[in-house]
Amino acid sequence: MKPFLLQQLERYVQRLEELDFLLSREDIMADMGQFLKLSREHADVSAVAKRYVRYQERRQDLEAGHALADSSSEDPEMKAMADEEIQNASQEMAELEIELQRMLLPKDPDDARPAYLEIRAGTGGDESALFAGDLLRMYTKFCERKGWRAEIMSESPSELGGYKEVVIRMEGDNVFGTMRFESGGHRVQRVPATETQGRIHTSACTVAVLAEPDEAQAVTINPADLRIDTYRASGAGGQHINKTDSAVRITHIPTGIVAECQDDRSQHRNKAKALQVLSARIQEKERSERAAKDAALRKGLIGSGDRSDRIRTYNFPQGRLTDHRINLTLYKLSFIMEGDLEEVTQALQNARQAEQLAELESSLPG
C-alpha cells in the first residue's frame, strides 16, 4: 500500500481514540446535537479503522508465513502450510487495500439522492428525436434492472415518434452517483428507417443528469424571480387534458432557466413538479460553474458533464459503443440498448475513483 494511504489510515486510528474519549464525557452526552454529530463521525471513522486493523493483522500473518516458509524448507508439509497462509493473506490484503482506498475518497453527499435525467434531441432532425426515444428506453430498462423507480416528469413527443425533449425522475439506491457521468453529448451512427439508399447517418442527443435537491438544502428561489405561465396540455391524455389550462411553464427570470410539466390533470401538482425540476436545474447550473472552475485548475478525466461535451458514440452497423472519456469500447450495443449499462457505469465510476485517488495523493504535503 502507498505510504500516503498508510499515513491517512493512521490518522483514522488516532481519531477513533479521540472520539471514544469525547463520547464518554458527560458534557458531550448532555448536548444531544454535539453527541449525534460525533456519533455519526464515530461510525464512519470506526468502519475505516476496523478495516485497517484487519489489514495490519493480515500483514503480520504474511510476514509470519514468509518466516515459516524460510525456516521449514526441508519440511514439505510445513512449507505447504506456510505457502497457503502466504497466498490467503496476500489475497485478503489486496482486497482490503482496494476497499480502504475507496473508503478514503471524498464522498459527494448528492450521490445518494434521486436524479432527474433530461434527454434532448439535437442535430439530425427526426432521426435525433427517434434516438432520444431509444435512449429513454435504454435508461428506463436500466432502472428496472437496478430496481429503481422511473417516472416521466415532462415530455415533448416528436411527430414521427421519439421525443424532442423528455425528463424522467429516477429514485433508488445511489442513483445520482451511478448516473452522473451520463451527462453530455451522445452521438448515434446508423441507417435511419426513412433512408432508402442505405446510407449511414450521424445524429446526436444531449443528456443532462441533475441531482434532486435536498429540501433542507435546496436553492432558495425568490417567488418574485419566477414567471409562471399556464397553457393547455397537448399530446396523450384523453379529452379532459386538452380542455383545461393544467400545463405549467415556470421561468426563472435571472438565469432564463425554464421547466414545464403537463403530465398531471392537476395544475397544482404540475406546478409542484415543475418547481422541483427548476430547482434541480438551477442547482446543476451552480454545480457546472464550480466544475468548470475546477477543470480550469486540473484536467478532469471524466469531464465537467457539460452538454456540449461529446462523451459517447453508438455505432449500430458495428454493434459498438465507445465512451471517449475513458477510451472504453464494447461490442455489445444491442444488449446495452436493452438496459445492460452496468459495465459502462462501473467503468466510469472506477475511472473517477482513480482520478480522486491521484488528486488525494497530490494534495498531501510531500
Side-chain angles (χ1 to χ4, degrees):
M1 189 181 292
K2 293 182 178 180
F4 87 93
L5 285 173
L6 292 171
Q7 290 172 14
Q8 293 283 97
L9 291 165
E10 287 293 344
R11 288 177 194 162
Y12 273 82
V13 175
Q14 293 166 10
R15 181 58 179 163
L16 186 59
E17 291 176 2
E18 293 171 5
L19 290 167
D20 284 335
F21 169 71
L22 289 170
L23 288 168
S24 68
R25 281 172 37 177
E26 290 186 10
D27 58 328
I28 297 289
M29 287 190 277
D31 182 344
M32 188 53 67
Q34 184 78 342
F35 181 77
L36 288 173
K37 179 184 175 185
L38 289 173
S39 294
R40 283 193 290 269
E41 185 185 353
H42 186 278
D44 292 339
V45 171
S46 176
V48 177
K50 282 179 180 176
R51 304 311 289 151
Y52 179 50
V53 167
R54 178 62 179 168
Y55 178 85
Q56 289 175 312
E57 289 171 353
R58 295 307 273 153
R59 184 164 63 179
Q60 290 173 357
D61 293 340
L62 182 65
E63 290 170 359
H66 281 298
L68 182 61
D70 292 341
S71 65
S72 59
S73 56
E74 295 180 7
D75 186 338
E77 197 170 315
M78 288 293 285
K79 177 95 169 50
M81 189 169 72
D83 289 343
E84 185 180 355
E85 179 61 17
I86 290 169
Q87 184 180 348
N88 291 341
S90 298
Q91 183 178 338
E92 188 174 348
M93 283 178 67
E95 292 168 358
L96 285 165
E97 184 171 345
I98 292 169
E99 189 178 350
L100 285 165
Q101 282 182 9
R102 286 182 175 164
M103 292 174 90
L104 286 178
L105 294 176
K107 295 177 180 64
D108 187 332
D110 283 341
D111 280 355
R113 298 206 57 74
Y116 297 104
L117 185 141
E118 306 176 354
I119 306 169
R120 290 185 184 174
T123 54
D126 292 333
E127 170 61 12
S128 176
L130 291 170
F131 181 53
D134 293 337
L135 288 177
L136 175 66
R137 184 174 182 274
M138 177 184 77
Y139 287 127
T140 51
K141 288 275 188 184
F142 183 57
C143 287
E144 289 173 16
R145 286 169 176 259
K146 300 286 283 185
W148 297 345
R149 183 168 171 265
E151 169 193 11
I152 290 183
M153 298 292 287
S154 69
E155 58 183 321
S156 177
S158 170
E159 291 174 8
L160 294 181
Y163 297 91
K164 297 173 186 173
E165 179 179 331
V166 60
V167 180
I168 61 172
R169 179 182 183 272
M170 299 178 292
E171 184 176 7
D173 182 38
N174 201 48
V175 168
F176 182 68
T178 304
M179 299 301 297
R180 63 190 303 165
F181 303 120
E182 293 303 300
S183 290
H186 294 241
R187 184 177 67 170
V188 62
Q189 295 173 326
R190 64 183 177 187
V191 179
T194 54
E195 169 59 57
T196 55
Q197 304 296 319
R199 291 172 297 191
I200 295 171
H201 288 228
T202 299
S203 55
C205 290
T206 56
V207 172
V209 182
L210 328 170
E212 181 177 83
D214 183 343
E215 288 185 12
Q217 300 174 332
V219 178
T220 304
I221 302 175
N222 184 347
D225 289 339
L226 299 178
R227 186 176 74 243
I228 301 175
D229 301 306
T230 58
Y231 58 97
R232 288 190 180 179
S234 59
Q239 295 179 342
H240 173 85
I241 201 166
N242 293 316
K243 288 183 179 177
T244 60
D245 290 343
S246 59
V248 175
R249 181 185 296 110
I250 304 177
T251 306
H252 185 242
I253 297 166
T255 60
I257 294 172
V258 179
E260 54 191 319
C261 187
Q262 63 173 34
D263 294 346
D264 203 294
R265 291 186 176 188
S266 161
Q267 184 185 109
H268 179 74
R269 285 194 290 270
N270 280 334
K271 180 181 175 184
K273 284 183 178 181
L275 274 171
Q276 281 183 313
V277 175
L278 184 74
S279 181
R281 286 178 176 168
I282 293 171
Q283 181 172 285
E284 181 60 25
K285 182 175 185 292
E286 293 176 356
R287 177 196 289 275
S288 296
E289 287 169 353
R290 287 196 303 272
K293 286 178 183 175
D294 290 344
L297 298 174
R298 58 170 183 79
K299 177 61 180 170
L301 173 69
I302 302 299
S304 65
D306 190 277
R307 291 172 193 264
S308 62
D309 289 347
R310 192 194 76 196
I311 63 166
R312 195 175 293 159
T313 296
Y314 303 73
N315 185 304
F316 278 78
Q318 296 178 16
R320 168 174 58 82
L321 176 137
T322 301
D323 195 292
H324 305 290
R325 296 164 294 180
I326 55 174
N327 295 321
L328 174 72
T329 297
L330 299 172
Y331 286 92
K332 48 184 279 188
L333 185 56
S334 59
F335 295 101
I336 289 168
M337 297 309 293
E338 289 296 318
D340 186 5
L341 265 176
E342 190 70 38
E343 192 174 348
V344 181
T345 58
Q346 191 58 58
L348 288 161
Q349 289 177 74
N350 291 345
R352 176 56 182 148
Q353 286 170 355
E355 188 181 48
Q356 285 179 303
L357 200 62
E359 287 170 17
L360 183 63
E361 186 172 9
S362 64
S363 69
L364 294 173

